[in-house]
């Protein structure tokens, strides 16, 4: 399934513009955020810090964030990437060396972004300030995925949608189970 021509054109223009962003802050922050978020290390560390030092609110935030992140990873990497075999942006669009480190898997959707948004949204439901901090880090991760040439902006947007849906699903899960799963007596 091919994207409409207008979306492909917008993806091309935005990818080239974001990848060419060469400010000192971008060259320092975006790769660092991407590295920290790799294999969800950043979100596991945040969950540990919240659970250990945030009291009941921190434990609730971590308890919501980790399963939301896991569901997002399964949906994005285990399901969507297998169904949509979209190639990564062309290497000649990326004017720096980060393009050499990108994965070979499908570009659509961004699993890093899905996990980041899922974790942040789930944390925000229990602890809004911590969720805002995680959300800022998630935004850096998302921008870094386009800047490095690993994803198109539409991949990142789809990853964010998957992450938001995963957080909502995990939050609604207990209520849905109580409603639809018969109780043993």
């Amino acid at each position: 399934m091919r994207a409409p021509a207008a979306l492909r054109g917008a993806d091309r223009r935005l990818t080239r513009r974001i990848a060419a962003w060469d400010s000192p802050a971008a060259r320092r922050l975006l790769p660092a955020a991407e590295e920290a978020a790799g294999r969800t290390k950043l979100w596991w560390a945040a969950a540990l810090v919240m659970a250990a030092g945030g009291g009941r609110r921190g434990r609730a935030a971590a308890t919501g964030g980790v399963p939301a992140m896991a569901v997002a990873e399964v949906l994005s990497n285990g399901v969507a990437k297998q169904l949509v075999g979209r190639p990564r942006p062309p290497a000649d669009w990326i004017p720096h060396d980060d393009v050499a480190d990108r994965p070979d898997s499908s570009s659509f959707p961004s699993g890093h972004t899905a996990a980041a948004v899922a974790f942040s949204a789930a944390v925000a439901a229990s602890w809004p300030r911590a969720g805002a901090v995680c959300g800022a880090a998630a935004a850096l991760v998302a921008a870094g995925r386009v800047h490095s040439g690993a994803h198109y902006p539409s991949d990142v947007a789809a990853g964010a949608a998957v992450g938001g849906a995963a957080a909502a699903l995990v939050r609604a899960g207990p209520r849905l189970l109580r409603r639809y799963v018969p109780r043993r007596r």
Side-chain angles (χ1 to χ4, degrees):
M1 179 171 80
R2 284 180 52 99
L7 177 60
R8 288 193 314 270
D11 259 350
R12 182 180 62 248
R13 286 187 303 277
L14 282 171
T15 300
R16 286 181 166 176
R17 180 173 290 155
I18 293 168
W21 188 26
D22 197 26
S23 75
R27 299 297 288 150
R28 188 174 54 254
L29 287 175
L30 298 179
E34 262 194 291
E35 175 62 30
R39 304 210 186 275
T40 63
K41 294 181 297 234
L42 177 61
W43 314 118
W44 281 104
L48 182 63
V49 168
M50 284 185 266
R56 186 169 38 178
R57 182 183 262 187
R59 288 187 298 277
T63 302
V66 169
M69 174 181 64
V71 169
E73 288 274 303
V74 168
L75 292 175
S76 63
N77 296 333
V79 177
K81 280 186 186 288
Q82 306 310 311
L83 296 173
V84 181
R86 185 179 195 187
R88 302 286 173 166
D92 62 343
W93 291 6
I94 314 304
H96 48 76
D97 294 336
D98 292 347
V99 75
D101 294 335
R102 64 190 183 164
D104 294 330
S105 61
S106 174
S107 180
F108 185 89
S110 169
H112 283 78
T113 303
V117 169
F119 184 84
S120 301
V123 165
S126 299
W127 194 358
R129 286 187 180 173
V133 171
C134 290
L140 286 174
V141 169
R145 299 306 289 161
V146 177
H147 186 263
S148 69
H151 290 286
Y152 294 96
S154 61
D155 300 337
V156 169
V162 168
L169 181 63
V170 167
R171 187 160 171 81
R175 185 180 73 248
L176 294 172
L177 285 173
R178 284 192 302 273
R179 186 177 202 179
Y180 294 108
V181 175
R183 294 183 190 170
R184 288 186 177 185
R185 294 192 189 241

